[in-house]
Structures are given as C-alpha cells and as structure tokens.
C-alpha cells in the first residue's frame, strides 16, 4: 500500500501506455485524486498539439471550494533538434500545485501521493514540479526536455 493510502486506478496506466505507444493520438493526460480521496484517476485527456491549450486546462482546475485544484499530468513534449538532427519526444510528468491558491489539505495530499502515480507509470523521461502558473512556461519545459538543444 502506498504511503498516502491512495491507489492508482488502472485507467491511469492504460491511458499512459496509449500515449507512450503513440496510439490514439493522445498528447496529454491530466490526473486528479478522486472526490472520495481513495484513488488517483484520469480527469481529462487531449489530442490538441497546442501546449497553451493544455496549460490553460491544467491551471483552470478548481476544487468545490473555488480554490485551485492541484493536478498531475503527462505531456508528450515534441521538438526538433538543432542542426537537423531530427525530431525527439520526451514524456514529462508534471505536478502542478499552486502554493498560493490551494488549501493545505489538498497540497499535502497531492504532494504525498505524487510518487504513487509516478511509480505506476513506466517510461517517464522527465519530471517537472510547478508551484505557480509561471513555472508552466513552454520555453522552460522545452529547454529542460531538449537539454537546450531544441531548434528555434
């Protein structure tokens, strides 16, 4: 049993594997903790290739109280290497917890359950922790994913 006491719904792994294998055209998966606080579940998937669409969906998630809802996400970062070295993809695990607009209990639950989900998903190439909207900028993720070698 994980430290947080939460389990990972099998659909989380199924959707991740679909994205990883390139089936169905998935570009991202957003996960949440279920309302009964018993498991991590798929909240939303998307095929849009526009990072800003994904980013807006991620930061707009709200709890019933109106406060920002933390989320986990998988995003398939695609980029061209400079010098014509070809196209690359990195699967990025993102933890988004807005420190200024999230309740303490939610922050603690999401922070303590992150490893439970990460351990269930085999094939993550990169981890990204964002504590506010500014830490979800495309340029920063691209630089990290490509080790600064992405073509402009």
């Amino acid at each position: 049993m994980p430290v947080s006491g939460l389990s990972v719904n099998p659909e989380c792994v199924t959707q991740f594997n679909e994205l990883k294998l390139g089936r169905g055209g998935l570009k991202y998966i957003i996960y949440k903790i279920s309302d009964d606080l018993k498991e991590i579940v798929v909240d939303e998937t998307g095929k849009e290739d526009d990072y800003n669409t994904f980013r807006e969906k991620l930061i707009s998630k709200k709890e019933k109280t109106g406060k920002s809802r933390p989320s986990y996400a998988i995003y398939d970062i695609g980029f061209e290497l400079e010098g014509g070295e070809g196209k690359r993809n990195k699967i990025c695990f993102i933890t988004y917890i807005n420190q200024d607009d999230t309740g303490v209990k939610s922050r603690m639950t999401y922070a303590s359950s992150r490893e439970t989900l990460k351990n269930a998903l085999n094939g993550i190439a990169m981890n990204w922790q964002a504590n506010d909207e500014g830490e979800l900028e495309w340029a920063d993720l691209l630089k990290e994913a490509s080790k600064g070698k992405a073509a402009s």
Side-chain angles (χ1 to χ4, degrees), residues 17-37:
N17 288 333
E18 293 291 313
L19 181 145
K20 182 173 74 172
L21 297 172
R23 295 183 187 149
L26 283 183
K27 187 69 177 172
Y28 65 84
I29 306 165
I30 299 175
Y31 301 96
K32 69 175 188 170
I33 295 175
S34 62
D35 293 339
D36 63 6
L37 304 176

Side-chain angles (χ1 to χ4, degrees), residues 13 20 27 32 34 38 53 58 77 82 85-86 89 97 99 107 115-116 133 147:
V13 176
K20 182 173 74 172
K27 187 69 177 172
K32 69 175 188 170
S34 62
K38 292 186 178 183
T53 299
L58 190 62
I77 301 173
E82 58 191 14
E85 292 185 38
N89 286 70
I97 303 174
Q99 297 294 324
R107 282 197 314 251
E115 293 301 316
T116 302
E133 296 175 22
K147 307 272 191 263

